[in-house]
Amino acid sequence: TTEQDEIIVNVDRAGLSVGDYTGIISISSNGGDINIDVSMEILPPYLVVSSNSLDFGSTETIQNFTITNIGAGTLNWSISADQSWISLWPSSGSTSTEEDEISVTVDRTGLSYGAYSGNLNITSDGGNETVSVDMNVPFFEDFSNLDAWTNDGWTISSDYYGSNPPSARHYWYDSQTSTISINVDVTEGQTLSFYRYASQQSTVLELYFNNVLVWNNPQWWAGAGNHSVPITGSGTLNIKFIGIGGSVYIDDLSIE
């Protein structure tokens, strides 16, 4: 009579191919007839990832991201990593409306210190994506060899003085000095840590940026213990240990 009658119209895309569809709703009445045009689109699968970059820093080993299909139908996907230190699970799958979570793991075992980058390459029938993976391997020296060091008298020792052998050893009968040094790329805010034992006399640690002395300790006399030094700059840091007489042992040097 005078009220409005609301009509609910549903469409069913199940089993239909990708494309545009049209139809007509025909209304007949004692007050006239009318046709209503109906159109519908079925989209293809469409790949979306929750993040295009993963940064593991110096300590993280596992991170996750998700794959989503914001199109229609079923999205079939697969992932490959271009670096052997990256592993992931699962490496393939399919999704219609749910999110698929991917677990990514990095393995620093056996890698030299420094920055590493790789990619996860995702291919699908709804597009392709790339997720970049970055990580750092902290500097660590266990003094199993001194090949990377500039060295004028230090040796490798298996003696145990509160450290974990082997260690780097300076030894002189009198007050002669010897020096070992190495260059390491560092970032502001990191910390240099090491273990030191000295039987007598002293040890000096000096840190240089661009050949400019930025830190040195007062002479440490006899004693043993762990030491930490904050790094207040970024770039190439020259680390220099100077042994002064007696026996001095340095071990487990790390920068994190």
Side-chain angles (χ1 to χ4, degrees):
T1 55
T2 59
E3 77 282 0
Q4 292 183 339
D5 291 343
E6 183 177 67
I7 311 301
I8 297 174
V9 179
N10 296 308
V11 296
D12 183 5
R13 294 178 172 85
L16 297 179
S17 301
V18 172
D20 295 321
Y21 292 80
T22 59
I24 295 174
I25 297 173
S26 298
I27 304 174
S28 59
S29 76
N30 58 356
D33 301 330
I34 194 169
N35 290 331
I36 297 175
D37 293 328
V38 178
S39 62
M40 172 183 77
E41 181 181 10
I42 296 183
L43 298 173
Y46 194 93
L47 170 69
V48 171
V49 295
S50 59
S51 176
N52 285 102
S53 64
L54 302 174
D55 189 347
F56 289 81
S58 298
T59 58
E60 285 189 78
T61 57
I62 299 176
Q63 290 191 29
N64 300 322
F65 72 95
T66 59
I67 287 176
T68 306
N69 175 20
I70 65 169
T74 299
L75 175 77
N76 301 295
W77 55 266
S78 64
I79 312 175
S80 62
D82 66 358
Q83 299 295 325
S84 60
W85 47 267
I86 303 173
S87 60
L88 57 97
W89 188 88
S91 59
S92 62
S94 60
T95 177
S96 52
T97 58
E98 77 282 359
E99 289 185 344
D100 288 348
E101 185 172 71
I102 314 301
S103 177
V104 182
T105 303
V106 297
D107 183 4
R108 297 177 176 86
T109 305
L111 297 179
S112 301
Y113 91 94
Y116 289 79
S117 296
N119 289 306
L120 303 177
N121 298 308
I122 307 171
T123 59
S124 79
D125 52 9
N128 302 323
E129 288 282 357
T130 298
V131 177
S132 63
V133 179
D134 296 292
M135 75 163 182
N136 289 305
V137 176
F139 179 85
F140 180 77
E141 177 64 80
D142 64 357
F143 295 102
S144 56
N145 66 67
L146 297 175
D147 296 346
W149 293 76
T150 300
N151 177 21
D152 71 356
W154 289 66
T155 60
I156 298 172
S157 172
S158 60
D159 295 340
Y160 175 76
Y161 289 99
S163 64
N164 299 307
S167 59
R169 182 193 188 198
H170 155 90
Y171 178 76
W172 293 101
Y173 287 103
D174 53 28
S175 60
Q176 276 187 283
T177 65
S178 66
T179 301
I180 53 172
S181 66
I182 194 170
N183 292 326
V184 180
D185 291 332
V186 297
T187 303
E188 176 100 26
Q190 291 183 305
T191 299
L192 183 153
S193 302
F194 59 95
Y195 173 85
R196 168 193 167 273
Y197 168 82
S199 62
Q200 58 183 343
Q201 296 296 326
S202 181
T203 321
V204 173
L205 169 64
E206 296 179 342
L207 304 178
Y208 294 82
F209 274 122
N210 300 318
N211 297 317
V212 176
L213 180 67
V214 295
W215 190 92
N216 73 312
N217 68 289
Q219 292 186 354
W220 287 304
W221 295 93
N226 294 304
H227 303 274
S228 296
V229 179
I231 295 174
T232 56
S234 298
T236 300
L237 180 71
N238 177 257
I239 304 167
K240 181 182 291 185
F241 287 101
I242 304 170
I244 305 172
S247 294
V248 176
Y249 298 82
I250 301 294
D251 199 11
D252 293 340
L253 173 66
S254 65
I255 299 176
E256 296 187 46

